[in-house]
Amino acid sequence: MRSTWVLGLLLTLLVAVSLFALAYGEVWLNPLAAGEESWRYTVLWEIRLPRVLLAVLVGAVLGLSGAALQGLLRNPLADPGIVGVSACAALGAVVVLYSGLAAVAWFALPLGGMVGAGLSVLLVYLLSGNQSSLFSLILAGMAVNAFVGALISLVLNVAANPFAMSEIVYWLLGSFANRSLQDVYIAAPFMLAGSLAVLTSGRYLDALSLGEETATTLGFDPRRWRWIVVGGVAASVGAAVSVSGNIGFVGLVVPHLLRPLVGHEPRRLLWVSALGGAILLVLADMLVQSISGRVELKLGVITALIGGPFFLYIIMRTRSSEW
Amino acid sequence: MRFLSGLMACCLLLGLTAGATAQQGIKPRRIASLNLCTDLLLLELVPRERIVSLTYWAADPDMSYLADQVGDIPLNRSLAEEIVPQQPDLVLAGQFSDVKVVELLRRMNHRVAVLDVPLTLSGMREYILSFGELVGEPARAAALAGQIDRRLALVSARARQAAGAAPLAAVYGPQGVSPGRDTLMDDLLTLADIRNLAAELDIVSYGTLSLEALVMAQPDVLILDDLSLDTNSIAHQAMRHPALLRQFEAGQVMNLPPSLMACVGPTSAEAAERLLALRLGLP
């Protein structure tokens, strides 16, 4: 009952901040009254709308994936950024974009991201399993992030385009600047499909929190459900990163902030984390636009400024019990 | 600012005259260049046999209009170890070249001239003339400078007769970069009787123009600083944003490739002529 209230509250908040984000920019525009065929219409629906839509979708994907991975790996520090899924997705997208493959088919770019994300989820699962200690997961993620970051800069360095190398910042920190509805169209189907798959796994994750054997006796086929969660996370995060770059810490921060409101069952956490992630990124994207100097700040800077200290706080809080 | 650059040009000229008297009558036979702009002027003024090294940019058709003339001249990445084996008797660098490599080459007794490559049209003539003295081709340099001046003067004269009020142009490059006041582009636009949005928004030198600000200003023409060959990058995707393109009709969008804008020189005259054609073609 309480989680229904929280859901309603977050949904209202998301609609409110999204409308506000549409209105906010170089000038104030009323999103509910913009005549067609004027520059107001273009600014509102072709420049701001794609930005807000992507912030909502990508934020929801990252928040949801964080909550699902924390449930699946039974590890409070799991997050697509920390375990290296986002970086691998960025590598896949980078290979597709700068080689020119992105022009071959509309789905090539998100597909590259999804393949990269898929490989890394498998890697993390192989490395740490579902009984991983808190820190073996982080160490594995650190290694994957460092290695894949190097591969990204290698690919960008050999790319033919003279601007490729300077875009490493975009891929490592993420941004919604200058995105168009085209980016929404190519990535949204995969983000939605992947998220739906993850959302169906709520009851399994609830059962899993009581232990793997309990989940099996309750009638869940662990192999099947593991594939559903892992596949859903890979598809949604892969597609999200391919159009926004690697925006870190959302999946870590959001579930932890919302857990006290809805309790500890993963199922309840999934929906609220999706909404919470969306709200966080819409707000962060507005902040980026308002505080930037001559060149717009990357979004990952804001999320890391929030997420970094939060990460340390979680480590400190769990240290005594699980070191 | 103008005073300072004038002062610097004077110092440069003095330095060059002193250098020239020291080497009176001797043309440098093995010239190396560490800067795209000095690469291009070398290719314009000096026979190929006397050029021993150019930068990689010189052979990149996206940035260099003389890429097909580079041929088998060795290319460098501004590393001393690429320059020294060529045994140059003159190394040309720009004011933005790596200070470390200049110091290193000088310590090894190479003659390195650090040129103050002009970033706008003012100072171009003096720069080309002093460059000609330096590389031992003063007559060719004077001819080139005269030819560019005549072409620019013609553009200016024809633009002054153009009908109607000066149109407003937005110049948009990769990553949303737009040239404002005190840039070559601003000079060329002024010459062709076109207003520069970035300059009117008080951007000095180069700044970024948000897509939103650009659409709001409702400029009459859009001048893209676009690559013709490889456009697989986020920076170039932004230039194909539908919100940008739907603001303009076919005759109102022009592409001015970076190879025309990379350095002041003959390409500046060509760019000015293209801008004039755009100006005259507008209703």
Side-chain angles (χ1 to χ4, degrees), chain A residues 26 46 48 161 167 179 294, chain B residues 206 208 212 230 235 246:
Chain A
E26 299 263 346
E46 290 191 41
R48 291 187 191 171
N161 191 292
E167 282 166 16
R179 303 276 87 186
R294 277 167 65 123
Chain B
Y206 292 83
T208 50
E212 241 177 70
D230 176 28
R246 66 175 260 159

Side-chain angles (χ1 to χ4, degrees), chain A residues 201-282:
Chain A
S201 69
R203 287 180 188 283
Y204 166 67
L205 293 177
D206 275 357
L208 187 65
S209 66
L210 304 171
E212 187 128 8
E213 282 172 34
T214 320
T216 314
T217 40
L218 284 171
F220 291 101
D221 176 0
R223 285 184 55 132
R224 179 169 162 253
W225 280 103
R226 223 179 282 153
W227 277 113
I228 290 175
V229 179
V230 164
V233 167
S236 58
V237 173
V241 169
S242 72
V243 290
S244 68
N246 181 355
I247 301 165
F249 292 107
V250 178
L252 178 79
V253 173
V254 170
H256 280 280
L257 284 180
L258 296 174
R259 209 169 265 132
L261 295 181
V262 295
H264 285 257
E265 285 129 68
R267 177 168 53 96
R268 293 190 181 166
L269 200 56
L270 292 181
W271 274 103
V272 294
S273 293
L275 290 174
I279 294 169
L280 178 68
L281 274 201
V282 174

Side-chain angles (χ1 to χ4, degrees), chain A residues 6-71:
Chain A
V6 175
L7 259 179
L9 185 71
L10 288 175
L11 197 61
T12 317
L13 204 60
L14 178 60
V15 172
V17 294
S18 300
L19 282 175
F20 188 79
L22 277 175
Y24 175 81
E26 299 263 346
V27 286
W28 284 97
L29 291 177
N30 182 356
L32 304 175
E36 262 194 59
E37 294 315 314
S38 70
W39 62 265
R40 285 183 180 78
Y41 181 87
T42 309
V43 168
L44 204 50
W45 302 118
E46 290 191 41
I47 298 178
R48 291 187 191 171
L49 181 68
R51 251 189 121 128
V52 176
L53 276 181
L54 278 181
V56 168
L57 287 168
V58 172
V61 160
L62 293 175
L64 175 65
S65 301
L69 286 178
Q70 286 170 20

Side-chain angles (χ1 to χ4, degrees), chain A residues 66-105:
Chain A
L69 286 178
Q70 286 170 20
L72 182 73
L73 302 170
R74 281 183 282 164
N75 192 322
L77 294 178
D79 157 81
I82 288 165
V83 302
V85 177
S86 301
C88 288
L91 175 63
V94 161
V95 169
V96 169
L97 180 66
Y98 296 90
S99 66
L101 280 175
V104 174

Side-chain angles (χ1 to χ4, degrees), chain B residues 33-34 36 39 53-61 63-64 67 70 74-78 82:
Chain B
S33 161
L34 302 176
L36 172 63
D39 289 344
S53 186
L54 296 172
T55 69
Y56 270 87
W57 295 113
D60 179 349
M63 299 305 289
S64 156
V70 171
L75 302 176
N76 71 70
R77 290 188 181 81
S78 266
E82 296 165 317

